[in-house]
Every structure is written in structure tokens, then in C-alpha cells.
Amino acid sequence: MDDDNRLARWQRHTEIPLAVASFVFLTSYAVRVLGHGHLTDAVLDLCLALTFAAWALFGADYAVRWLLSGQRWSFVHRHPLDTVVLFLPLLRPLQIVKAYDAVRRRHGRPWLTVHARVIVYAGLSTVLLGFTGALSVYHQERGAPGATLRSFGDAVWWTCSTLATVGYGDFTPVTFRGRLIAVGIMAVGLGLLGAVTGTFASWLLHVFSHEDDERPPGD
């Protein structure tokens, strides 16, 4: 029980700092990718240092939570998403949405219903995922032999069509890492799309059911 309390206190105290670190990580990585060839080496090196510093902070947080949980290896199995994010830190900015929700819950009643929160947070997660996915695939594809994604705009268009499960085929990654990123975006995109459509359908059923309950007998 003491381990649970210590873990809860640690998570409560580190939510905002980690959210800030996630923002720093994404910003510094974006500046390095988009500023390549336009910024000085000193600025790019600073962004690289900030990126690795934020990543190290994520690793330290994971290690502390692993120790405080008292579960050791079962902690890894019970928190698969945290483990994946540790090795794929570009997904870490998605935690900003989760941290924002947790802070609002502690300071009062959430300002949206459950259905609305799922839709809004899924939408925000989709935007963050699309931006990070476009950055990462552009980072891997630019300059590759036979690459079709020659600009960040191409990467954004490709990411949007992939997340929407449209897949026009006008742009396709040619590198191994680019294709791995594509597989991840497809999988997460399907999940987020299913969450939004399923929640919207559930909300409609709830509304219609509530209207039927309020309707006078015999109508």
C-alpha cells in the first residue's frame, strides 16, 4: 500500500513537468528536422541536446515508477503503452492530453461529458500523431534514393491520407524505417477512428434512449 501511495504521489507531482518535457522534445525534434539546411550547426546541436535530455527524463521517470511499483517485471506487462513510448519517444506528446485531463479532474469536475471527452481527446491525439508521424517519416525519407516524399508538405498529405485510411498511393515511403512508421500510423489511425465513431454512435444511442424515456406513455 505504501508503494502504491508513493507511486501515486510521484505520478501526481511529475505530470506537468513531463508534459512540458514532451512539448520540449517535440519542438526540438521538429526544429531539427524542418530546420535542416536552414539553421546553424549550433542551433541544431542545441535542439539535439534538448531532445536527448527530454528522452533521458522519460527514461528516469519510467525507472522510478518501475521501482516504486514494487512489481518489477510485472510492471512492464501491466504498462505496455508506457514501455512502447519509452522506446518510441515521438509518441510521448500524446501524454500531454492525458496529463491535461488528469489535472482538470483533480481541480474540479471535467468540463465535458465522457462521450465528448473521448471525441475531443481522440481528435487532439490524432492531430499530435499526424504531426509527429509526418515529421518522423519526412526525417527518414528526405534524400533517400527514389523517395517520393520530398517535402514536409508531402509528408503531411501522406500522413493525413494514411490516418484517414484512404491511401491514395501518390506518396509512399521507400525506406525500411519509413515503412515501419507507416505501419504504426495505420494501426493507431484505425484505433482512433474506431474510438471516435464508436463513441459517437454510443452518444446517439444514449440521446435517443433518453428521449424515449421522457416521452409520455402512449406516444
Side-chain angles (χ1 to χ4, degrees):
M1 181 64 67
D2 184 58
D3 287 341
D4 292 339
N5 291 334
R6 291 165 61 192
L7 178 60
R9 287 197 300 270
W10 171 265
Q11 290 178 322
R12 186 168 59 251
H13 292 149
T14 57
E15 276 173 352
I16 294 179
L18 287 174
V20 173
S22 300
F23 180 76
V24 171
F25 179 91
L26 180 58
T27 302
S28 58
Y29 180 73
V31 171
R32 284 196 70 241
V33 173
L34 300 179
H36 181 75
H38 304 284
L39 300 176
T40 63
D41 291 339
V43 174
L44 295 178
D45 290 341
L46 175 61
C47 291
L48 181 62
L50 290 174
T51 302
F52 279 109
W55 196 356
L57 187 62
F58 302 152
D61 170 69
Y62 185 89
V64 170
R65 288 190 294 117
W66 179 71
L67 291 173
L68 292 179
S69 67
Q71 299 169 353
R72 299 304 182 261
W73 293 114
S74 62
F75 175 84
V76 178
H77 299 291
R78 294 182 61 181
H79 300 82
L81 181 59
D82 292 335
T83 305
V84 170
V85 168
L86 179 63
F87 293 99
L88 298 174
L90 273 176
L91 297 178
R92 184 76 199 198
L94 297 178
Q95 300 285 354
I96 296 175
V97 178
K98 179 182 176 182
Y100 177 75
D101 185 43
V103 170
R104 286 201 62 90
R105 280 177 170 274
R106 285 201 303 270
H107 289 81
R109 189 175 179 180
W111 60 285
L112 292 173
T113 64
V114 174
H115 295 94
R117 284 211 314 274
V118 171
I119 293 175
V120 170
Y121 295 150
L124 291 175
S125 299
T126 302
V127 172
L128 284 172
L129 177 66
F131 182 65
T132 56
L135 277 175
S136 56
V137 78
Y138 175 59
H139 187 198
Q140 301 301 324
E141 292 291 309
R142 66 180 180 191
T148 58
L149 297 166
R150 298 187 179 89
S151 68
F152 182 64
D154 293 341
V156 170
W157 170 252
W158 170 83
T159 304
C160 291
S161 62
T162 303
L163 281 173
T165 67
V166 177
Y168 290 108
D170 48 353
F171 298 109
T172 54
V174 297
T175 63
F176 176 73
R177 292 181 180 179
R179 289 175 176 174
L180 280 181
I181 295 169
V183 171
I185 292 176
M186 292 174 197
V188 178
L190 284 171
L192 290 173
L193 212 62
V196 172
T197 54
T199 302
F200 183 70
S202 175
W203 174 74
L204 288 178
L205 289 174
H206 175 76
V207 171
F208 294 149
S209 175
H210 186 67
E211 289 179 352
D212 290 340
D213 291 340
E214 292 181 346
R215 186 174 301 170
D219 284 1

